[in-house]
């Protein structure tokens, strides 16, 4: 792990860990913010979701994913979870913000930009391969390398078959020449 990743991951994760702890500590407030969003989504959900349980689940997942990300354990998976929870948090906070005053609108905009910035940061981290090629790149190049090796093997086999055919042709000529000389000697 590079020095930048060693420092950046805990710095980025700290915001999510603190926010997750806050959601766990204040599950009632978080559930109140989630309530209007869940009421609108209730038709699409196959089961009834308790707002307080969901608030705790979001808080717990933010803490767990944040700690894993900060430690560099499963960084792409944990960053993906953080991106998902960050996008959800951005939407919920934006929907429930007070817009009755200019200060409220400014706070709403500031909170939205903060949450979107964090989501962007963890999205970048979710696709970071830590200097190693991605699985897709490795698979693509493995296929290309295999095809190239196959073509080389075919060329070698073709060359060997061509040499064997020439040797066989020479052998047949030599046998024919020997038979001809033998037949000439017998007739003479």
């Amino acid at each position: 792990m590079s020095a930048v990743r060693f420092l950046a991951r805990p710095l980025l994760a700290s915001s999510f860990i603190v926010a997750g702890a806050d959601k766990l500590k204040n599950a009632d407030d978080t559930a109140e913010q989630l309530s209007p969003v869940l009421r609108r989504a209730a038709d699409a959900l196959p089961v009834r979701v308790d707002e307080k349980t969901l608030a705790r689940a979001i808080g717990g997942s933010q803490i767990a994913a944040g700690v894993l990300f900060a430690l560099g354990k499963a960084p792409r998976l944990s960053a993906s979870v953080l991106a998902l929870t960050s996008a959800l948090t951005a939407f919920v906070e934006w929907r429930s913000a007070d817009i009755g005053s200019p200060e409220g609108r400014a706070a709403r905009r500031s909170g939205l930009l903060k949450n979107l910035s964090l989501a962007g940061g963890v999205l970048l981290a979710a696709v970071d391969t830590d200097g190693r090629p991605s699985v897709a790149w490795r698979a693509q190049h493995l296929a290309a390398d295999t095809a190239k090796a196959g073509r080389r093997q075919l060329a070698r086999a073709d060359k060997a078959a061509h040499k064997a055919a020439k040797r066989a042709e020479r052998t047949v000529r030599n046998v024919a020449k020997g038979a001809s000389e033998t037949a000439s000697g017998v007739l003479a």
Side-chain angles (χ1 to χ4, degrees), residues 108-133:
R108 178 185 184 190
R109 183 176 49 251
S110 175
L112 179 65
L113 290 174
K114 175 198 67 128
N115 286 324
L116 291 178
S117 298
L118 287 171
V122 291
L123 279 174
L124 282 173
V127 297
D128 178 30
T129 60
D130 201 14
R132 292 183 293 268

Side-chain angles (χ1 to χ4, degrees), residues 10-71:
L11 290 173
L12 184 56
S14 65
S15 176
F16 291 101
I17 294 169
V18 170
D22 187 49
K23 281 180 179 60
L24 281 178
K25 190 171 100 176
N26 302 315
D28 292 329
D29 294 339
T30 306
E32 189 178 312
Q33 285 181 328
L34 284 170
S35 184
V37 175
L38 285 178
R39 268 188 257 130
R40 289 187 138 198
D43 297 334
L45 296 174
V47 294
R48 173 80 176 117
V49 178
D50 180 44
E51 290 93 358
K52 197 169 183 177
T53 304
L54 182 61
R56 287 182 179 143
I58 291 170
S61 65
Q62 280 186 320
I63 292 172
V67 168
L68 286 173
F69 185 71
L71 295 174

